[in-house]
């Protein structure tokens, strides 16, 4: 209900916006995790994304995945059926190795006539995940497809990208998480935007990062905290040409905002994904996306009071750390104790119609009261302080409860004795 109301309002606002280049928000969709989705399920995913004001999916496809063709057919057919939702291809050059040029060309040409294909500046948009050994393929790919290429070649670094940018049309950065205990700033976005030299910049935003997948030798986390709210604040200020949310359904890296489909969870990740739903993060998106697109959020009115909370279910020293490192040593970062980056806190974001009191309780401990001193968005952090138990949240105004919800327990009883470093997310 609230989403429809806000959607209606947004469209009213956009009609009055000036004729600047339109802005778009996409979500990175891992095709490989969607092999079991029926076309009906694809349509349902697309409707959920549309309700959040997401414009489309960037379809991550791996060349060795024998389901790729089947996945693309269902995705494009579903998007055509639902309507008013776009797709573009994101060729993954790391998972399963580099794509042969001819297959890239054929795949783009096969889907570019679909009414669901996203066109940017009049050309079918195409992206990548990495592929820095195949940069010289792109003049030919662009010539044979007429595509608008916005690759993610983040591992190149901005200086080397500046030397090869004439091969493509823009840049998408994968640098969405902070190093160590730092907060993620706009610094990398400014540097990448500069390196595009006037070409479009697609800015990444991601809510979280934790992965433990022994089959790919991955086991690290980056600081999550208020990344979801802080990055959208940065997007509002920086006004990039395009935004890509990382991700819709990458369960193995814990940054999904779409529904959890058990069949799509990679081997070994169920321990930290199955009971860690993230859907409520999407409830903030209409506000975030409307703010970014309209560029002036003072005129966005909140249709319904909403509180979104997130926290890890286990205190940071309540079990084995699972060998997880804070930071990613394989990428040259200094390995840190994950407990030094994973704060024992409940994170809260509220969207309220008027100034309101927010109350939080862990177990049967004392209630913490916080004041949201303005209409619109406010964020809060409540330390666990050693408290455990189920959580309760209220929004109160004029001594009346306007919204209430409960959340799963914060508990030192870790599944398999290993701290679950993924977030659980819920809302009123
Ligand atoms: C590809 O290059 C040829 C030769 O320069 C040119 O005629 C053709 O229009 C180009 N095709 C596209 C799609 O850019
Ligand atoms: C990160 O931001 C939070 C506010 O969201 C602030 O309290 C904290 O000091 C910042 N940390 C660093 C390392 O700058
Ligand atoms: C901006 O890009 C130019 C090259 O295109 C480079 O010389 C300059 O150092 C860059 N500035 C920043 C702040 O990254
Ligand atoms: C987590 O990672 C470690 C180190 O790679 C591995 O030994 C362990 O099996 C992984 N756990 C799962 C559930 O994959
Ligand atoms: C990790 O847990 C310890 C013990 O509860 C706490 O003192 C510390 O502040 C936590 N780490 C962070 C980054 O919050
Ligand atoms: C809880 O509140 C009571 C009454 O105000 C106070 O005496 C007590 O110290 C509080 N407990 C904690 C852990 O803050
Ligand atoms: C709450 O009270 C204030 C004045 O005390 C009033 O202006 C406001 O309309 C009231 N809000 C609601 C939702 O009743």
């Amino acid at each position: 209900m609230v989403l429809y109301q806000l959607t209606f309002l947004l469209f009213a606002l956009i009609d009055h916006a000036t004729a600047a280049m339109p802005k778009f928000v996409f979500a990175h969709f891992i095709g490989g995790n969607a092999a079991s989705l029926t076309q009906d399920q694809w349509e349902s995913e697309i409707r959920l994304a549309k309700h959040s004001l997401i414009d489309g999916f960037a379809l991550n496809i791996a060349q060795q995945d024998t389901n790729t063709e089947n996945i693309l057919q269902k995705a494009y057919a579903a998007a055509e059926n639902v309507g008013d939702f776009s797709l573009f291809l994101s060729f993954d050059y790391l998972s399963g190795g580099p794509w042969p040029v001819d297959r890239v060309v054929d795949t783009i040409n096969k889907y570019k006539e679909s009414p669901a294909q996203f066109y940017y500046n009049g050309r079918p948009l195409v992206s990548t995940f990495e592929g820095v050994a195949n940069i010289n393929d792109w003049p030919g790919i662009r010539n044979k497809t007429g595509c608008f290429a916005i690759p993610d070649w983040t591992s190149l670094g901005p200086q080397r990208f500046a030397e090869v940018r004439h091969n493509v049309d823009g840049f998408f950065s994968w640098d969405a998480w902070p190093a160590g205990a730092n907060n993620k700033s706009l610094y990398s976005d400014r540097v990448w935007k500069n390196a595009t030299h006037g070409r479009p910049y697609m800015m990444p935003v991601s809510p979280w990062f934790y992965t433990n997948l022994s089959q790919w030798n991955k086991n690290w986390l980056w600081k999550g905290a208020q990344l979801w709210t802080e990055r959208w604040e940065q997007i509002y200020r920086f006004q990039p040409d395009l935004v890509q949310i990382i991700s819709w359904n990458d369960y193995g890296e814990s940054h999904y905002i779409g529904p959890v489909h058990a069949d799509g969870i990679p081997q070994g990740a169920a321990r930290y994904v199955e009971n860690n739903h993230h859907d409520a993060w999407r409830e903030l998106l209409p506000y975030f996306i409307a703010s970014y697109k309209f560029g002036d959020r003072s005129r966005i009115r909140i249709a319904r009071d909403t509180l979104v909370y997130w926290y890890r279910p286990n205190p940071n020293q309540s079990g084995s750390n699972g060998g997880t490192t804070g930071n990613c040593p394989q990428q040259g970062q200094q390995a840190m104790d994950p407990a030094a980056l994973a704060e024992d806190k409940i994170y809260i974001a509220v969207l309220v119609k008027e100034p309101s009191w927010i109350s939080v309780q862990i177990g049967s401990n004392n209630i913490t009261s916080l004041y949201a001193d303005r209409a619109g968005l406010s964020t809060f952090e409540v330390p666990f302080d050693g408290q455990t138990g189920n959580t309760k949240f209220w929004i109160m105004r004029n001594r009346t409860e306007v919204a209430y919800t409960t959340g799963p327990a914060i508990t030192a009883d870790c599944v398999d004795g290993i701290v679950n470093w993924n977030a659980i997310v819920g809302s009123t």
Side-chain angles (χ1 to χ4, degrees):
M1 192 59 183
V2 61
L3 299 178
Y4 286 118
Q5 287 182 38
L6 192 49
T7 305
F8 178 78
L9 180 64
L10 172 67
F11 291 157
L13 290 173
I14 280 177
D15 280 347
H16 294 100
T18 48
M21 186 66 189
K23 298 169 230 173
F24 298 95
V25 177
F26 297 94
H28 197 78
F29 193 111
I30 305 290
N33 287 350
S36 72
L37 292 194
T38 63
Q39 191 177 313
D40 279 354
Q41 285 173 314
W42 266 103
E43 290 181 17
S44 141
E45 301 287 294
I46 287 170
R47 285 197 185 90
L48 291 176
K50 276 184 71 168
H51 287 185
S52 309
L53 301 189
I54 291 171
D55 295 293
F57 288 144
L59 295 174
N60 175 295
I61 45 174
Q63 62 91 14
Q64 99 300 351
D65 184 348
T66 51
N67 290 311
T68 290
E69 197 47 45
N70 187 262
I71 288 162
L72 289 179
Q73 274 170 21
K74 276 189 286 194
Y76 274 88
E80 287 171 18
N81 275 358
V82 174
D84 198 20
F85 190 80
S86 301
L87 303 174
F88 65 84
L89 303 170
S90 173
F91 294 93
D92 190 329
Y93 280 73
L94 288 192
S95 159
W99 279 78
V101 181
D102 290 351
R103 245 191 104 194
V104 173
V105 168
D106 291 348
T107 311
I108 297 170
N109 283 339
K110 176 162 181 191
Y111 290 98
K112 74 181 181 189
E113 306 300 342
S114 163
Q117 171 63 45
F118 180 68
Y119 276 69
Y120 192 69
N121 275 353
R123 289 148 65 190
L125 183 68
V126 171
S127 188
T128 71
F129 177 63
E130 287 296 326
V132 297
N134 298 74
I135 288 168
N136 295 329
D137 295 355
W138 285 89
I141 295 170
R142 282 158 86 211
N143 178 274
K144 295 196 180 82
T145 62
C147 75
F148 196 95
I150 303 191
D152 149 40
W153 290 335
T154 308
S155 69
L156 268 188
Q159 263 159 13
R160 282 205 50 218
F161 175 70
E163 290 160 18
V164 299
R165 66 189 170 211
H166 56 272
N167 290 305
V168 289
D169 303 286
F171 188 82
F172 167 43
S173 163
W174 200 262
D175 188 352
W177 301 275
N182 299 316
N183 293 325
K184 180 74 191 148
S185 74
L186 272 167
Y187 178 76
S188 63
D189 304 289
R190 291 189 202 287
V191 170
W192 282 116
K193 171 74 192 162
N194 175 53
T196 67
H197 205 247
R199 292 168 179 78
Y201 173 63
M202 190 185 287
M203 178 165 162
V205 51
S206 183
W208 206 256
F209 194 104
Y210 162 51
T211 184
N212 185 184
L213 299 170
S214 49
Q215 65 274 36
W216 293 311
N217 193 28
K218 291 167 69 167
N219 192 4
W220 79 91
L221 64 78
W222 279 310
K223 185 177 137 186
Q226 294 273 17
L227 200 50
W228 190 231
T229 46
E230 285 169 1
R231 282 295 275 175
W232 278 105
E233 176 70 26
Q234 291 169 5
I235 288 167
Y236 176 59
R237 295 207 319 262
F238 192 59
Q239 292 287 311
D241 306 285
L242 304 147
V243 171
Q244 191 171 148
I245 297 165
I246 306 173
S247 65
W248 183 262
N249 66 338
D250 192 337
Y251 306 122
E253 293 186 352
S254 305
H255 44 56
Y256 49 95
I257 61 164
V260 171
H261 292 281
D263 290 349
I265 303 176
Q267 184 198 332
R271 172 180 67 76
Y272 60 88
V273 171
E274 192 163 67
N275 296 316
N276 292 62
H277 296 275
H278 290 177
D279 302 87
W281 267 328
R282 295 199 306 275
E283 293 189 32
L284 301 167
L285 279 179
Y287 179 81
F288 290 156
I289 294 177
S291 301
Y292 157 60
K293 289 197 174 178
F294 187 53
D296 173 9
R297 74 183 157 211
S298 66
R299 288 170 56 196
I300 297 175
R301 279 189 303 107
I302 305 302
R304 192 185 69 181
D305 295 291
T306 305
L307 176 150
V308 179
Y309 65 79
W310 59 99
Y311 50 86
R312 289 175 294 98
N314 308 131
N316 70 22
Q317 307 195 332
S318 56
S320 155
N321 68 19
T324 300
T325 55
N327 279 341
C328 177
Q330 291 109 305
Q331 293 179 16
Q333 293 183 316
Q334 180 204 350
M336 294 178 71
D337 177 355
L341 304 185
E343 299 170 303
D344 285 346
K345 287 178 177 173
I346 296 174
Y347 300 96
I348 295 163
V350 296
L351 290 170
V352 289
K353 294 180 194 171
E354 291 177 52
S356 306
W357 285 94
I358 310 303
S359 300
V360 181
Q361 187 179 29
I362 304 174
S364 53
N365 299 290
N366 286 355
I367 293 175
T368 302
S369 285
L370 308 154
Y371 189 55
D373 63 359
R374 73 200 85 157
L377 178 71
S378 296
T379 61
F380 303 97
E381 304 181 353
V382 177
F384 294 178
D385 273 343
Q387 304 170 97
T388 55
N390 287 41
T391 55
K392 296 195 187 79
F393 303 88
W394 296 262
I395 303 176
M396 306 283 293
R397 209 156 44 230
N398 295 358
R399 296 193 194 81
T400 308
E401 176 185 309
V402 295
Y404 168 74
T405 192
T406 58
I410 295 165
T411 169
D413 187 8
C414 310
V415 174
D416 297 338
I418 303 174
V419 172
N420 180 342
W421 299 109
N422 188 5
I424 48 183
V425 187
S427 66
T428 49

